Amino acid sequence: MVLLFATALGCQLSLAHHAQHPEPLKDHPYYELKKDHHPQAIGKSYFGREIASVMGYSGVEWLERDSREQEEHLSKLIQTLPLKPGMVVADIGAGSGVIAQRIAPKVAPKGGVFAVDIQKKMLRRLIKKAKAAGITNIKPVLGSIRSPKLKASSVDLAIMVDVYHELSHPLEMMQSLSRALKPGGLVVLVEYRAEDPEVPIKKLHKMSLAQIKKELSTPPLGLKFVKVDQRLPRQHVVFYRKISQQSSSSPQKTTPKPAKKP
Ligand SMILES: C[S@@+](CC[C@H](N)C(=O)[O-])C[C@H]1O[C@@H](n2cnc3c(N)ncnc32)[C@H](O)[C@@H]1O
């Protein structure tokens, strides 16, 4: 299955060239340009927050560091997620697949994980690592800066670990992701707590819960706040649900439909 996924990736690599072309930054009235910006920011703000630059491939060893479990309690993070066999999960900004690899066995054998990233090098490493670990239900997807390139109504749960704050086009990305969720589907943001000065991460790469709520409650996204889980030592785990036509009139119809394998 990994081989099949690799072929699918090969078909999508040609899209990357286009996706990574420099583009005008202020391409939506929600965004503001900042001339005098943080050196690690892209010079664009959204709801008053400076958007951080994307972590490049050189950061991959930090993502895979042995101390990550001890520092961030990744196993506890996985426990916060309502994962069941058969579910379709999207790991947006999957990097080299640290999170996708932990989710994949929980939804196997019939479910799977779409591992979306905009960096081909990250996806190549993810494929290699999944293969070495014998995991066959992770499908790499080359997304663009505006869209995860997933089919409409195809995903039960989407997760972004340390990713949202570095989306160059958060509005377009989240609109597209919302379309990819099934009715009642969940989106989970995991971000370092800006409220806590003890969290040893630069301010630009942290988010407060108030800021997350401000941004994610934007009506065009069609998302509704569900809860925040604070059991992790460094990060907020924030849950949103897709608001569907059915959910406003009849809440019981929002139960996710049986999942299909990616
Ligand atoms: C800090 S890394 C986190 C990787 C992974 N989630 C983890 O925790 O190990 C952020 C990742 O998000 C990706 N990314 C940034 N913007 C993206 C976008 N618009 N769509 C998909 N991935 C994106 C980057 O390429 C990078 O691999």
Side-chain angles (χ1 to χ4, degrees):
M1 203 152 162
V2 168
L3 268 183
L4 186 72
F5 291 161
T7 314
L9 174 65
C11 300
Q12 295 189 52
L13 289 184
S14 57
L15 293 172
H17 183 65
H18 181 68
Q20 288 168 6
H21 268 180
E23 301 184 40
L25 281 175
K26 187 174 167 66
D27 40 14
H28 197 284
Y30 275 81
Y31 302 132
E32 270 177 49
L33 296 189
K34 269 180 92 91
K35 270 193 191 146
D36 185 20
H37 63 84
H38 189 288
Q40 286 177 12
I42 62 169
K44 178 172 162 182
S45 295
Y46 183 54
F47 286 92
R49 171 184 63 88
E50 272 198 280
I51 297 176
S53 307
V54 169
M55 173 190 273
Y57 185 73
S58 58
V60 79
E61 282 176 15
W62 184 75
L63 297 174
E64 294 172 3
R65 69 197 184 280
D66 289 340
S67 58
R68 195 168 172 191
E69 171 61 33
Q70 197 197 340
E71 290 162 7
E72 297 184 4
H73 296 191
L74 295 180
S75 337
K76 266 195 205 161
L77 164 62
I78 302 302
Q79 283 167 18
T80 68
L81 307 174
L83 299 172
K84 288 194 192 109
M87 280 176 81
V88 176
V89 175
D91 181 7
I92 311 294
S96 61
V98 172
I99 307 298
Q101 275 204 32
R102 286 177 179 248
I103 293 175
K106 306 273 182 201
V107 297
K110 291 193 175 162
V113 182
F114 289 115
V116 181
D117 208 286
I118 51 172
Q119 297 187 66
K120 287 183 271 182
K121 265 183 143 180
M122 288 287 191
L123 291 179
R124 288 201 185 102
R125 186 166 175 118
L126 175 142
I127 294 166
K128 217 167 134 187
K129 294 213 125 205
K131 199 173 172 189
I135 297 174
T136 57
N137 61 338
I138 297 179
K139 177 175 179 171
V141 177
L142 187 64
S144 78
I145 52 175
R146 289 193 180 79
S147 165
K149 304 270 168 101
L150 296 171
K151 275 192 199 154
S153 304
S154 62
V155 170
D156 293 297
L157 183 147
I159 181 163
M160 303 174 103
V161 180
D162 193 20
V163 173
Y164 178 83
H165 71 276
E166 65 176 52
L167 296 178
S168 61
H169 294 75
L171 180 75
E172 296 89 331
M173 266 298 288
M174 296 311 286
Q175 271 186 307
S176 181
L177 182 58
S178 182
R179 275 194 293 275
L181 290 175
K182 294 179 186 176
L186 291 171
V187 54
V188 184
L189 296 197
V190 183
E191 288 289 335
Y192 293 108
R193 281 189 208 103
E195 299 88 338
D196 185 352
E198 301 291 306
V199 172
I201 296 288
K202 287 180 189 147
K203 203 175 153 214
L204 187 68
H205 299 279
K206 292 173 163 183
M207 285 189 75
S208 70
L209 184 58
Q211 183 70 28
I212 293 174
K213 283 186 170 179
K214 218 191 281 182
E215 298 187 21
L216 273 284
S217 308
T218 317
L221 303 186
L223 298 172
K224 188 172 184 247
F225 176 77
V226 178
K227 64 173 181 176
V228 57
D229 191 305
Q230 297 289 20
R231 79 182 77 173
L232 300 188
R234 294 184 177 178
Q235 291 140 306
H236 296 296
V237 185
V238 194
F239 292 75
Y240 276 81
R241 191 178 293 285
K242 176 174 177 167
I243 306 167
S244 59
Q245 279 177 336
Q246 293 102 312
S247 71
S248 52
S249 55
S250 168
Q252 66 273 26
K253 287 185 187 162
T254 63
T255 312
K257 289 175 192 160
K260 283 183 194 150
K261 202 172 181 176

